[in-house]
Amino acid sequence: MVNYLIYRLGHFIAVCLPLRLSYTLADLVCTIQFIIAGKDRRAVIANFRAIFPEKSRGEILLISWKMFRNFGRYLAVFFKFALIDDKFIKKHVVMENMEYISESLKKYGGVIATTAHIGNWELAAAVTALRGYPVVAVAMVHKNKRIDEFFNKQRGHTGVEIVPLGGAVKKCLKALKERKVVALVGDRDFTRGGFRLDFFGRTAIIPRGPAMLAFKANTPIIPGFITVQKDGKFNLRFEEPILPVATGNEEKDVVELAKRCLRIIEGYIRRYPEQWFMFRQFWI
């Protein structure tokens, strides 16, 4: 109940304040959180030490603090979803390679857009939907029903259709047949059924959903990421479509496709570590 009230308060404040002031308040709140949330802070620091063993303790602490701060800014934008429109997009978002989506929809039907917990992945789905593409996003169900309803309502403001994680395969395949964009995150597994793959030189459990769906629907995966640039604008960039290649060994083929996507995710995390929002220790 407390978390729900915090989200609602944050939503109220974000809607009332201009974006820049929302960021200022989010920076303050999340700096305090960085200081007092010892468990989360230690997990974040451990993750960045694993990724950047060459960096000093001070450099790791700075990246970690920036990550906390940026997460607050991510929420500030998410809380404003009811206000996001073409005017907001033109002012704040730069888009690259949107034609990969439209061309793949024409050629293959449905498209799988995979991303990670980088930048503002919720905004990536929102912008894509507001640009006229039918987006179906798979989302984890929050334990608190009111929080879950609140988050899905925010997503719904921009036209994104939500599919709960549990039992999502059939609904995603149906969406792909209907020539829709199915959006999935590819860096954290919530099902306990993922692949054990090399991730920054260590074994991690990685979701099998994007690669598995690509083979079942015979449709490409298009990696896409939205990151905040130095000028404060969001850059939504889609990478070239990755086509499933069948060799006769289905399990191996799915794993190889997942690896190709994972290498792209690694590249973005290395480039924007302070925008990778992972508050649990990724490698045990």
Side-chain angles (χ1 to χ4, degrees):
M1 184 63 179
V2 174
N3 287 341
Y4 171 73
L5 293 176
I6 291 173
Y7 282 131
R8 293 308 307 232
L9 176 61
H11 172 255
F12 174 78
I13 294 172
V15 169
C16 292
L17 293 178
L19 184 59
R20 193 173 294 275
L21 282 178
S22 296
Y23 281 171
T24 300
L25 182 58
D27 289 352
L28 174 61
V29 171
C30 288
T31 295
I32 295 172
Q33 184 72 4
F34 177 74
I35 294 170
I36 66 175
K39 182 179 179 181
D40 288 349
R41 184 181 66 252
R42 287 189 292 272
V44 169
I45 289 172
N47 289 339
F48 288 136
R49 279 178 176 166
I51 296 171
F52 302 111
E54 75 283 1
K55 291 189 181 295
S56 68
R57 174 179 172 80
E59 290 173 313
I60 294 296
L61 283 173
L62 181 59
I63 293 173
S64 301
W65 167 69
K66 286 183 176 180
M67 189 270 249
F68 270 73
R69 184 198 65 181
N70 287 333
F71 183 72
R73 294 186 176 196
Y74 148 77
L75 285 176
V77 173
F78 181 66
F79 290 153
K80 288 180 176 290
F81 268 24
L83 305 178
I84 289 180
D85 53 14
D86 284 341
K87 183 179 178 181
F88 178 94
I89 294 173
K90 289 177 182 178
K91 182 178 180 180
H92 296 287
V93 183
V94 176
M95 291 167 284
E96 295 185 59
N97 303 329
M98 292 292 288
E99 67 273 12
Y100 288 152
I101 298 289
S102 55
E103 290 171 1
S104 293
L105 285 173
K106 289 178 183 177
K107 188 173 182 179
Y108 301 101
V111 168
I112 298 167
T114 188
T115 188
H117 293 87
I118 297 173
N120 197 317
W121 64 96
E122 300 276 9
L123 184 61
V127 170
T128 304
L130 288 169
R131 276 291 173 261
Y133 299 99
V135 177
V136 175
V138 178
M140 180 187 69
V141 178
H142 287 265
K143 293 180 181 179
N144 185 303
K145 184 179 178 180
R146 297 181 75 178
I147 292 177
D148 193 61
E149 290 173 349
F150 168 68
F151 270 63
N152 288 338
K153 183 178 180 180
Q154 288 298 106
R155 294 160 176 150
H157 284 309
T158 60
V160 176
E161 180 185 345
I162 299 300
V163 170
L165 183 61
V169 175
K170 288 184 178 180
K171 293 180 180 179
C172 287
L173 289 173
K174 181 175 182 293
L176 291 169
K177 288 181 179 179
E178 294 171 350
R179 309 180 73 84
K180 295 180 179 180
V181 179
V182 173
L184 298 159
V185 292
D187 58 343
R188 181 178 175 184
D189 180 65
F190 293 95
T191 67
R192 298 182 180 179
F195 298 119
R196 296 179 66 85
L197 299 179
D198 179 89
F199 191 46
F200 290 105
R202 302 187 182 196
T203 300
I205 306 299
I206 302 300
R208 67 171 59 224
M212 180 191 67
L213 284 172
F215 273 93
K216 284 183 177 293
N218 193 29
T219 195
I221 294 175
I222 302 181
F225 304 86
I226 190 165
T227 52
V228 183
Q229 303 302 301
K230 291 181 179 180
D231 61 1
K233 287 190 175 183
F234 295 95
N235 178 243
L236 173 58
R237 178 182 173 84
F238 289 100
E239 301 294 336
E240 291 186 6
I242 303 174
L243 295 171
V245 178
T247 66
N249 187 330
E250 184 177 350
E251 181 68 13
K252 181 180 178 181
D253 293 341
V254 174
V255 169
E256 287 304 313
L257 181 56
K259 287 180 179 178
R260 291 178 66 187
C261 295
L262 196 58
R263 299 291 81 81
I264 295 173
I265 289 174
E266 281 183 338
Y268 272 85
I269 293 174
R270 285 191 186 278
R271 187 175 177 185
Y272 302 101
E274 71 283 353
Q275 296 186 47
W276 186 46
F277 305 126
M278 191 59 59
F279 289 94
R280 71 173 182 92
Q281 192 165 341
F282 206 84
W283 298 271
I284 305 300

